[in-house]
Amino acid sequence: MTSAPSGTLDVVLDENALLALGAGNVLVSRMLHQSAVTDAWRVHVALAALADADRVRAGLAGHVAMLDQIVFHPLGLAAVLAASGQPRSLGWSHTRHVAQPGLERPEGARVVTTTPTDWDGAGVRILDVSP
């Protein structure tokens, strides 16, 4: 696995950012556009969060799946273990797991959200895209 190019910002969309994208949020749309045309952004999505968002807005997962600039993260054993004992949803826990520092992203990724207070105390950096 390779790390992001120098100057690239890694972000992971949470369930609420995915729902905002489906509702036409300009900031999330611009971020995705920039990730498609430049190396400035690298957008990640935890598949458990995508499933949670699709339950609220049916068809969203199919739309997001067509966006080839997104790095999708399957729900693996490490993510399930990280969710163990968490009072939050599996999608929230999976997003937090993806945002944590690791070999591919030594500094981790910022969680893009429209509900930043949902992430209080989670130990992740936030990018608030609320209107």
Side-chain angles (χ1 to χ4, degrees), residues 25 27 113-116 127-131:
N25 182 292
L27 295 174
T113 187
T114 59
T115 55
L127 182 57
D128 183 357
V129 293
S130 56

Side-chain angles (χ1 to χ4, degrees), residues 5 10 16 19 29 34 39 42 44 46 53 60 72 75-76 78 81 89 93 95 108 114 125 128-129:
D10 282 291
N16 293 308
L19 290 168
S29 295
Q34 287 299 313
D39 287 336
R42 195 162 81 166
H44 303 265
L60 180 63
F72 293 100
L75 182 63
L81 292 173
S89 71
S93 297
T95 299
T114 59
R125 294 173 297 161
D128 183 357
V129 293

